[in-house]
Amino acid sequence: MGHMAYGLGETNEETRFGTVAFYASLGRAFVTMCAVIPVLFLIEVLDIGAGGYLDVAGGIIPHRIDGLDGVLFSPFLHAGWDHLYGNSIPLILVGTFALAGGAMRFVYSTGLIMLISGLGVWFIGSPGSVVVGASGVVFGYLGLLVARGFVERSWWNLGVAAFIGLLYWYQLYNVLPTDQPISWQGHLLGLLSGVLAAIIF
């Protein structure tokens, strides 16, 4: 008899492609991720109203103790509207598929991605910079989904991995060192921590 693997707090029906429970789980995940985006926009409104104070107060400032709290807060902050727009659609998309794999597994995976990518940026990021944005988490979910397809050996997860890969392969250059004002360290460590989360959870 074979083993059936599914996430913490998730039923067999919710993981089996084509079942009513599966589509319900996917729908709930989509609605939940869509609900997160207005919160990020509200935070950006407050930050602009405060003259960018929240970015400095809640961002990761590499090598400085007072910038360590950014590990927790920086994914909720963005450096302007273009930055937020650029992260919103990918966050909804990859977040929906990541959350559909099980709520508790999603929470644990998100926590691990935020911790590893955030601490990594704090240790190896550019001194004097302030790092904000959800892109480390987005890359984390990307790594999670691609790795999950191989770890779980399910056609559904492999299909999701292929779909996400086709959509975002061109973004992979953002995990390499660059002169652009982006945190390639956060992207790279987010991607790797997502792969690790797929293996652990």
Side-chain angles (χ1 to χ4, degrees):
M1 210 167 158
H3 295 285
M4 179 61 74
Y6 45 92
L8 302 172
E10 137 189 85
T11 68
N12 183 20
E13 289 292 301
E14 289 174 333
T15 64
R16 197 164 69 227
F17 180 76
T19 63
V20 173
F22 171 84
Y23 290 121
S25 175
L26 197 60
R28 285 193 302 270
F30 177 72
V31 170
T32 300
M33 293 311 301
C34 285
V36 169
I37 302 305
V39 175
L40 298 181
F41 272 81
L42 176 59
I43 291 171
E44 187 60 23
V45 168
L46 294 174
D47 183 45
I48 290 172
Y53 172 77
L54 295 182
D55 284 346
V56 177
I60 299 170
I61 306 175
H63 316 302
R64 282 177 45 176
I65 296 299
D66 61 344
L68 197 54
D69 58 352
V71 172
L72 177 62
F73 298 118
S74 65
F76 302 98
L77 300 165
H78 289 83
W81 295 116
D82 287 345
H83 189 204
L84 179 53
Y85 290 138
N87 278 336
S88 294
I89 299 301
L91 185 60
I92 290 174
L93 183 60
V94 294
T96 294
F97 287 120
L99 178 54
M104 290 309 297
R105 181 162 64 166
F106 176 80
V107 170
Y108 293 145
S109 297
T110 302
L112 185 68
I113 291 166
M114 287 174 60
L115 183 65
I116 293 176
S117 63
L119 285 177
V121 167
W122 189 84
F123 276 111
I124 66 173
S126 302
S129 63
V130 178
V131 180
V132 295
S135 53
V137 174
V138 170
F139 273 85
Y141 291 156
L142 182 60
L144 171 74
L145 293 171
V146 171
R148 186 187 288 172
F150 294 98
V151 170
E152 298 185 4
R153 298 186 188 90
S154 77
W155 286 110
W156 161 245
N157 283 313
L158 285 171
V160 169
F163 174 63
I164 296 298
L166 285 171
L167 284 178
Y168 292 108
W169 64 269
Y170 68 94
Q171 288 284 351
L172 291 180
Y173 74 90
N174 283 323
V175 303
L176 301 173
T178 175
D179 293 331
Q180 299 299 314
I182 62 171
S183 178
W184 65 268
Q185 301 96 330
H187 297 166
L188 176 60
L189 292 165
L191 188 71
L192 294 176
S193 58
V195 171
L196 183 63
I199 294 169
I200 294 175
F201 305 119

